[in-house]
Amino acid sequence: MDTLDRLRSRSIAELVLLITDPEAIWNALRRRPEIIEIKKQMRTLAIPQSRLRGFVRNLLADFRQGRRFPHEHVLAALAVVLDSVPSAFADEFLRDLSRLKVQEFPISPRIAKVAVRKRNERVVPTKVTTHGDRPKLAVDKIRESPPPPRISASLSELPWKLAA
Amino acid sequence: MFELVSMAGTPERSIALETRLKRPIENAQSVGPDYQTWQTYRKHLNDHPGWERRKDPSGVYNCAGLVWAARRTAIYDDWEKILADDGYKQIVEKDVRVGDLVLYMDRQSKPRLLHVGVVLRMYQAVVGVARASSVEVPYVLSKWANGFGEVVHHFNDIPQTLTELKAKIEFWTDRHDQWTP
């Protein structure tokens, strides 16, 4: 059995079906052993992006207009797996799924939105702070000194001086 | 990645829905259940012989849509806003009356909603053997999933999944005025 196929489990399907609040689904999914295991494998790069892409493509082959998508729980679980994975595929998957607005996918885009929010919260913002006066460096002395005389100005004086 | 689905799928539809304080409530209707969801629903009916069926499966609304949107649409996120704006308050089990709400919450530090149902009737149950006494037990009208049907059940007769999550059961009411004729 493929590791990713563990995301098709009945327990995951029940959680995604029965729980109302997307954040509660996210909380419940992230504690599932299948998800913890696959997250671990993602960290060791055991699952290549091409395999993930193929896995999603196979799922989407079962899409039928007018009927709820049968693998919604798998996409929701994959969103939870990928929310802490720094990869181009994870970015693309979470962004595209969270923007999906079709009636056949009522839940998974909402889980992807939660996953994107959690992912963004993990990014540490860069902030520059200065703590009081620091000792002056050589570069500061150069900055504070008056600018040197312009070369062009001294050249313009040259013919006058010669004439004198 | 989902371009084809986005083009071929049925565009999401929501309706105008507001709290009593006129704050918008995010909602979405969806299509009917797939075969697997039907099968899961049937399994739950078999596992819970005490569930009384009221209505066959529908995808238009979920549990929160049944309770707060009169079966017109599904509500996923805005339940906290509704509880606050619509004047609900938490009560203890002995004060529960018909029409009050039962909320099943998770056990996180900031609790989130797992499921909500409305108390449909109070059932007289006898407890104890030597010194038997009767208590009133709430029976709840529920729609356990977006693609499930509506059922009436004992407030503690819940799917195994919620039992495993150690769902916390809360009772809420919108009754707070002392009405005098």
Side-chain angles (χ1 to χ4, degrees):
Chain A
M1 189 190 196
D2 189 311
T3 319
L4 291 170
D5 281 331
R6 295 186 66 195
L7 298 178
R8 298 174 191 260
S9 85
R10 228 185 104 76
S11 315
I12 289 178
E14 292 250 330
L15 285 174
V16 174
L17 257 182
L18 296 174
I19 301 177
T20 305
D21 184 318
E23 188 147 350
I25 300 176
W26 185 86
N27 281 330
L29 285 178
R30 75 191 170 97
R31 296 198 301 267
R32 290 292 316 165
E34 304 93 329
I35 290 184
I36 293 169
E37 176 58 32
I38 297 175
K39 263 181 187 273
K40 239 183 243 171
Q41 293 200 20
M42 294 294 243
R43 269 187 229 120
T44 57
L45 302 174
I47 304 172
Q49 293 195 21
S50 56
R51 206 161 112 207
L52 286 166
R53 203 173 284 279
F55 179 72
V56 173
R57 199 183 306 120
N58 284 343
L59 293 177
L60 292 179
D62 289 335
F63 169 76
R64 298 285 176 275
Q65 191 193 37
R67 279 279 162 259
R68 186 180 168 134
F69 182 57
H71 310 301
E72 258 229 305
H73 62 285
V74 188
L75 293 181
L78 190 57
V80 178
V81 166
L82 293 175
D83 69 7
S84 55
V85 175
S87 78
F89 176 82
D91 280 338
E92 184 189 350
F93 176 83
L94 292 174
R95 184 195 60 223
D96 290 359
L97 183 58
S98 65
R99 288 178 185 171
L100 191 60
K101 285 192 168 188
V102 291
Q103 293 189 31
E104 288 81 359
F105 292 69
I107 308 291
S108 54
R110 291 178 165 82
I111 309 297
K113 270 183 200 161
V114 176
V116 168
R117 199 173 66 235
K118 302 285 180 188
R119 192 176 175 83
N120 290 341
E121 281 169 9
R122 280 193 202 103
V123 176
V124 182
T126 311
K127 195 177 169 190
V128 178
T129 50
T130 40
H131 301 281
D133 294 331
R134 58 176 169 77
K136 281 196 175 175
L137 304 172
V139 69
D140 296 324
K141 285 176 186 161
I142 294 167
R143 279 186 192 138
E144 286 166 10
S145 61
R150 285 167 57 198
I151 296 170
S152 58
S154 48
L155 280 174
S156 66
E157 285 169 5
L158 200 59
W160 178 82
K161 280 183 182 169
L162 285 172
Chain B
M1 197 175 292
F2 298 96
E3 294 84 3
L4 276 176
V5 172
S6 201
M7 282 190 287
T10 315
E12 198 173 85
R13 199 168 55 183
S14 62
I15 60 171
L17 194 63
E18 291 179 337
T19 66
R20 285 188 196 174
L21 299 184
K22 293 190 74 65
R23 283 202 289 169
I25 300 169
E26 197 205 315
N27 67 88
Q29 296 170 338
S30 61
V31 291
D34 59 296
Y35 180 71
Q36 282 89 332
T37 307
W38 266 91
Q39 290 293 92
T40 310
Y41 178 51
R42 284 167 62 105
K43 186 190 172 298
H44 277 281
L45 289 176
N46 287 334
D47 292 348
H48 299 270
W51 287 9
E52 180 189 325
R53 287 167 61 182
R54 186 199 161 263
K55 188 181 169 185
D56 281 342
S58 148
V60 176
Y61 59 97
N62 62 355
C63 61
L66 163 70
V67 172
W68 290 307
R71 302 187 175 93
R72 295 185 187 115
T73 187
I75 298 167
Y76 298 97
D77 296 288
D78 284 344
W79 55 273
E80 282 172 300
K81 196 195 281 184
I82 297 170
L83 287 176
D85 287 9
D86 289 7
Y88 284 96
K89 65 170 184 179
Q90 198 175 347
I91 53 173
V92 293
E93 189 185 332
K94 70 176 180 57
D95 293 335
V96 173
R97 297 285 174 272
V98 169
D100 291 339
L101 305 184
V102 183
L103 271 64
Y104 299 85
M105 309 295 286
D106 68 13
R107 298 266 177 184
Q108 297 296 305
S109 52
K110 189 187 170 206
R112 309 299 304 177
L113 180 73
L114 300 173
H115 178 71
V116 60
V118 60
V119 176
L120 197 67
R121 60 173 173 254
M122 301 299 287
Y123 182 78
Q124 290 283 338
V126 178
V127 289
V129 179
R131 297 173 64 187
S133 62
S134 79
V135 290
E136 286 200 311
V137 179
Y139 269 65
V140 184
L141 176 65
S142 265
K143 189 169 188 287
W144 278 106
N146 202 326
F148 280 18
E150 289 180 25
V151 293
V152 181
H153 61 90
H154 185 293
F155 76 103
N156 258 331
D157 186 8
I158 61 177
Q160 182 66 24
T161 304
L162 266 73
T163 311
E164 285 167 8
L165 289 173
K166 298 180 174 65
K168 186 178 163 217
I169 301 176
E170 295 180 358
F171 300 96
W172 289 70
T173 188
D174 60 339
R175 298 174 286 120
H176 25 173
D177 299 326
Q178 289 299 317
W179 183 74
T180 44

